[in-house]
C-alpha cells in the first residue's frame, strides 16, 4: 500500500489500483497536511482500505473501497474529510466508513452521492473520549444491505452528531441510530425502508426528525423517542 507519515506534506493519489498484494492497509496516513484520493480502487486488503490517523484535510472522490478485512475507510484524530461519489462495499467484518473519536480532538466528515453497501455497519461514528467531538453528515447517498446498522452516531463518552438528508437507507438491520447521552441525529428527507428492525432507533440519545422522512415497511417504524421538529 501507500504510507504517508511526513508532517506538512500534501499528497495526491489518482488512478491507482491498490490490492492485497504486499500490505495489510491500502493507504495509511499518520502525518501530513492533506490527502486527495481520486479515481482509485482499493480492495482485498487484510485490514484497512484507507486509514487516516491525523489532523489532515482529506478528500476522497470517485473511488471504490471494497472487500477489505477490516474497515473500508477509517478517519480519526482531528481529520476533516469529504467523501464524494464513492462506493464502499463488501467490508463484511467491520464498518464501511468509520469515524472514530478515540483522542481529544474534533473530527468532521461530510459524505455525499455515495453508495455504502454490503458491509457490517454502513457508516459508524463512535466517540469514546470525553473531549472528542465527531460531526458527520450524509446526504444523497445509498446505505443499503449492511448486516448491522445503516448509519449510527454513538457516544460512549464525548459527542457524536449525525445529519442525514435525502438518503436511501434500506435492507439493513437498523436504519438510522442515535445511541448514548452525547449522541444526536437529525434526519430530513430520507427514505428508510425494508430494514429488519427499527427504521429510526434512539437509545438514550437525541433523535430529531423533520417530519418529511418516508419510514415504511421496516420491522418497526421507531424505537425509542423520536422528536419531530419544525422545518424552516
Amino acid at each position: 500500500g501507500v504510507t504517508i507519515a511526513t508532517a506538512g506534506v500534501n499528497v495526491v493519489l489518482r488512478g491507482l489500483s491498490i490490492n492485497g498484494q504486499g500490505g495489510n492497509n491500502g493507504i495509511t496516513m499518520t502525518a501530513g497536511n492533506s490527502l486527495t484520493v481520486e479515481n482509485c480502487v482499493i480492495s482485498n486488503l487484510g485490514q484497512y482500505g484507507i486509514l487516516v490517523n491525523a489532523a489532515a484535510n482529506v478528500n476522497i472522490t470517485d473511488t471504490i473501497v471494497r472487500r477489505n478485512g477490516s474497515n473500508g475507510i477509517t478517519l480519526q484524530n482531528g481529520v476533516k474529510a469529504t467523501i464524494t461519489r464513492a462506493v464502499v462495499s463488501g467490508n463484511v467484518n467491520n464498518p464501511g466508513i468509520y469515524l472514530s473519536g478515540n483522542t481529544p480532538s474534533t473530527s468532521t466528515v461530510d459524505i455525499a452521492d455515495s453508495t455504502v453497501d454490503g458491509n457490517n455497519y454502513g457508516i459508524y461514528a463512535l466517540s469514546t473520549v470525553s473531549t472528542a467531538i465527531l460531526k458527520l453528515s450524509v446526504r444523497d447517498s445509498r446505505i443499503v444491505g449492511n448486516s448491522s446498522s445503516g448509519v449510527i452516531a454513538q457516544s460512549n463518552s464525548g459527542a457524536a452528531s449525525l445529519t442525514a438528508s435525502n438518503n436511501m437507507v434500506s435492507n439493513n438491520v437498523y436504519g438510522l441510530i442515535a445511541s448514548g447521552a452525547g449522541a444526536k441525529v437529525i434526519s430530513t428527507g430520507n427514505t428508510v425502508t425494508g430494514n429488519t428492525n427499527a427504521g429510526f432507533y434512539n437509545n438514550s440519545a437525541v433523535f430529531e426528525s423533520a417530519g418529511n422522512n418516508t419510514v415504511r415497511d421496516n420491522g418497526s417504524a421507531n424505537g425509542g423517542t423520536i422528536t419531530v421538529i419544525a422545518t424552516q
Side-chain angles (χ1 to χ4, degrees):
V2 177
T3 298
I4 304 155
T6 302
V9 297
N10 298 295
V11 176
V12 177
L13 303 174
R14 183 180 294 119
L16 299 179
S17 179
I18 303 173
N19 59 36
Q21 301 298 317
N24 284 324
N25 300 332
I27 300 169
T28 301
M29 184 177 198
T30 56
N33 183 60
S34 70
L35 170 64
T36 299
V37 181
E38 297 177 352
N39 295 106
C40 292
V41 178
I42 302 164
S43 62
N44 299 306
L45 278 304
Q47 295 183 18
Y48 300 101
I50 300 173
L51 170 62
V52 179
N53 184 23
N57 295 304
V58 175
N59 182 278
I60 301 169
T61 306
D62 297 314
T63 288
I64 298 170
V65 183
R66 66 187 176 205
R67 293 193 301 270
N68 298 290
S70 187
N71 307 336
I73 301 172
T74 296
L75 304 164
Q76 59 193 27
N77 200 14
V79 68
K80 294 182 180 179
T82 60
I83 300 173
T84 309
R85 295 185 304 276
V87 176
V88 184
S89 179
N91 304 282
V92 297
N93 297 316
N94 287 86
I97 301 173
Y98 183 50
L99 175 57
S100 174
N102 60 359
T103 62
S105 59
T106 298
S107 297
T108 304
V109 175
D110 297 297
I111 302 167
D113 302 307
S114 294
T115 296
V116 183
D117 72 296
N119 307 286
N120 182 3
Y121 293 92
I123 304 170
Y124 195 166
L126 173 62
S127 175
T128 57
V129 173
S130 62
T131 51
I133 299 172
L134 303 181
K135 299 178 181 180
L136 170 66
S137 70
V138 185
R139 64 174 177 84
D140 301 311
S141 295
R142 298 172 61 250
I143 303 98
V144 298
N146 299 286
S147 62
S148 188
S149 308
V151 190
I152 177 170
Q154 180 174 340
S155 170
N156 295 346
S157 185
S161 65
L162 162 67
T163 301
S165 57
N166 302 317
N167 300 292
M168 170 64 73
V169 185
S170 64
N171 299 316
N172 310 286
V173 175
Y174 289 88
L176 302 178
I177 293 181
S179 181
K184 181 177 183 179
V185 169
I186 299 173
S187 178
T188 177
N190 297 290
T191 299
V192 183
T193 64
N195 299 285
T196 307
N197 290 335
F200 288 170
Y201 187 75
N202 180 8
N203 176 29
S204 304
V206 174
F207 197 124
E208 296 181 340
S209 167
N212 60 352
N213 301 278
T214 300
V215 185
R216 299 281 302 218
D217 298 327
N218 301 288
S220 60
N222 300 325
T225 301
I226 310 299
T227 303
V228 178
I229 58 175
T231 57
Q232 295 180 343

